[in-house]
Amino acid sequence: MSVLKIKDVSKIFANGTVRAVDNFSLDVADGELVCLLGPSGSGKSTLLRMVGGFERPTSGLMIINGEDITHVPPEKRPTGMVFQSHALWTHMNVFKNLAFGLKLRKVAPDEIKRRVEGVLDLVGLGGYGTRHVAQLSGGQQQRVALARSLVLEPKILLLDEPFASLDQHLRERLREEVRDIQQRLKITTLFVTHGQDEALSMADRIVVMRDGKTEQIDRPDIVYREPQTPFVAGFIGTMNLIEGTVSNGIFSKAGYSTPLPVSDGPAILAVRPEALDLTVANDNAQGKVHRVTDYGTHGLVDLELLDSTRVKAMVSHPDLFRAGQGVRLAPKAIAAYRDNAVIHRA
Amino acid sequence: MTTIDSGHIAPVQAERRRPYGLLLVAAPVLLVVWLIIWPIISAVITTLWVQTPEGSEFSTGTYQFFFSDGYSLSNLSVTLWTTGVCAILLLLICLPIALYLRFSDSKVAGYVQGLAIFPMFVPSIILSFAFIRVLGPNGTVDLLANAMGLPKIRSPYLTAWGPVIGLVWDNIPLTVLILLSGLGNVSNQAIEAARDVGARKLQVLWYIILPRIGNSVLVAISFAVLGIFSSFTLPYVLGPAAPEMMGPFMQRTFRELFDPRNAITQAVITFGFCIVFGLFYVRSVAKNRTP
Ligand SMILES: Nc1ncnc2c1ncn2[C@@H]1O[C@H](COP(=O)(O)OP(=O)(O)OP(=O)(O)O)[C@@H](O)[C@H]1O
Ligand SMILES: [Mg+2]
């Protein structure tokens, strides 16, 4: 059964024509972690804030556990939000930050103490209760913010780029911790990020958003392997997107051609760098090596087609290639798009 | 205060730079000593050493007079009352305005802000006469009430409430501005987080916003109190003839009764009260610096 149901929700901001969220629908199952992934301005935060009750949808419905909460204010929603900048209350110590919500709910003091300490242990901050917020590192502050939401045992946990202000290393660690905690508590979670790594490594499902609309909703591996639109293909991982034309079952673009069994017309050919084999060719080359980067374990070749369209290929022996060399391309797996939809995959 | 500043700013290891820093601070300090501290000391001396034909002699006579004279005491108490009532009214009026300005994103907020700051540009003497025209006997309000057949209400003009209304109006801009700057320190996210854990609007105000702006409230109140306690024009024009606030009282004692020693005594006593609030202010500023 779905815990959260978002139905045809749109948000148009009062000041004008921006459709921050456009006819968005999503069902989130119990205990699921769904990542909202998209570029800046795609409406991720706006959507999350509508679930939390901080923005009112212009139209559409929000349902939690079968109850319509579209117009319920945030303080009455069973959601817990972790903000990008931790938003801790700096005039309270860690314990009081966590206890505040429980106090408002008139929980008995010894019960408050027990629960706060339990959650502090859970986020790895046991014994930090008397610390002041200012005496914590950025990562610890974010843990406190997470604990502050968790201690109230919300039905749905909402995280809006909670690690955006932390360094790479810490971000990766906290990502794992959050995933662990989420799975241990089996808490339904919506996680906003514009980092694809974060989404791919954490999510049960990913919602790729663009201009307030859904581009694709799928498991991470499927989003990666079978992107439904050229936008998703380009946004998740690295993808070569070559715009060309198909005629008589042959896709061609500036001297490069490959069989593509679809009807005639324009098409976008999508090939991952790791799915593109290169061979050195002096005669009838299809492209020219522009730059070779050696990463130790593998190499990346930047090449140009004859009309200087850029293409990337991953190679296992970068020392075989030199800038200026002619190459032929042999894709092992391709997808083709037309009118924003997949027309072929092989 | 300037000296406190230099102590904070000068880093311990910059031993050799210190004389320059002190030199920079020296000018304002000397100015303060010359224009403020010295007059205070000399005022205290003037009131405590009486010139007699044989020379000067120590006497607390004028103070004893002040604190035994019923009229002086009622002037002091009306001043304290006015100051207290104004401070409370200012908070009650300005806090909602400042909260509205901080948290509203409607266009109206801009106009309200303009209106709230407007009194700052009106000199108190003009304000006084405007007040008389509007709220005085046969003023606009009176005439309107008459025209609508309402009973005649007693005008606050020439009662203790006259100065209160004028002073509150006069102090709204500064108070709103100070509170607003304090509210700037309260992030939207901190408030949203509070609502998220279940705080209703008043609980957000009480548990999250007020504790964060406590200092600004103190600063705003001490500013207002310092200004109001020793104000002159508004109580002089709008207030009753007796009892009067300390400002007009001093002026009258000095100019009309030609009694400088008692006038200065009144000034020293006024100063004594003000310095208490001044210390409040300094303390809250210092607290602000060391979180
Ligand atoms: N309060 C607001 N008033 C007007 N427009 C807004 C408001 N909040 C967001 N928008 C607009 O709505 C669109 C979506 O914004 P949103 O913050 O949801 O994007 P986002 O996907 O979270 O981006 P980011 O990754 O940068 O956080 C943007 O075009 C933004 O300018
Ligand atoms: Mg955002």
Side-chain angles (χ1 to χ4, degrees), chain B residues 23-191:
Chain B
L23 222 59
L24 280 175
V25 180
V29 168
L30 285 176
L31 218 59
V32 166
V33 169
W34 178 40
L35 292 176
I36 298 173
I37 311 272
W38 171 242
I40 292 169
I41 294 171
S42 84
V44 173
I45 292 172
T46 318
T47 53
L48 288 177
W49 270 268
V50 191
Q51 299 293 329
T52 55
E54 300 94 64
S56 65
E57 129 191 336
F58 182 81
S59 153
T60 55
T62 52
Y63 291 91
Q64 280 168 10
F65 172 74
F66 185 95
F67 285 108
S68 57
D69 176 36
Y71 184 61
S72 303
L73 285 179
S74 68
N75 285 345
L76 181 61
S77 68
V78 85
T79 307
L80 283 169
W81 178 86
T82 307
T83 309
V85 169
C86 284
I88 292 166
L89 286 177
L90 271 172
L91 260 196
L92 291 182
I93 294 169
C94 296
L95 195 59
I97 295 179
L99 285 169
Y100 171 75
L101 292 178
R102 167 69 180 78
F103 295 111
S104 162
D105 37 35
S106 79
K107 280 186 196 127
V108 187
Y111 297 109
V112 174
Q113 176 142 21
L115 269 181
I117 305 308
F118 175 69
M120 210 165 205
F121 304 102
V122 182
S124 6
I125 189 71
I126 291 177
L127 166 60
S128 305
F129 288 111
F131 174 93
I132 295 170
R133 290 296 297 268
V134 174
L135 287 175
N138 299 324
T140 318
V141 172
D142 203 8
L143 292 180
L144 279 177
N146 261 347
M148 288 190 292
L150 295 172
K152 202 164 177 64
I153 34 166
R154 209 172 140 241
S155 163
Y157 177 49
L158 298 185
T159 73
W161 286 100
V164 167
I165 295 173
L167 288 166
V168 166
W169 159 271
D170 208 27
N171 277 285
I172 283 176
L174 193 63
T175 313
V176 166
L177 283 178
I178 296 173
L179 291 179
L180 204 51
S181 88
L183 284 172
N185 294 330
V186 189
S187 74
N188 285 340
Q189 292 203 338
I191 287 163

Side-chain angles (χ1 to χ4, degrees), chain A residues 44-46 84 160-161 192:
Chain A
K44 310 177 296 286
S45 297
T46 307
Q84 180 168 349
D160 190 356
E161 306 201 32
V192 163

Side-chain angles (χ1 to χ4, degrees), chain A residues 210-243:
Chain A
R210 178 200 194 185
D211 297 336
K213 293 201 220 13
T214 313
E215 286 274 316
Q216 183 167 3
I217 305 181
D218 263 317
R219 292 203 324 254
D221 53 323
I222 296 186
V223 172
Y224 187 82
R225 275 189 285 121
E226 296 171 13
Q228 290 300 316
T229 65
F231 173 80
V232 177
F235 191 72
I236 310 273
T238 317
M239 179 73 91
N240 296 302
L241 292 171
I242 305 166
E243 287 179 46

Side-chain angles (χ1 to χ4, degrees), chain A residues 49 75 81 85 89 91 105, chain B residues 189-190 192 195-197:
Chain A
R49 290 170 57 76
E75 60 267 28
M81 181 123 165
S85 72
W89 305 303
H91 60 286
R105 286 166 175 69
Chain B
Q189 292 203 338
E192 288 182 344
R195 298 197 63 194
D196 195 52
V197 302

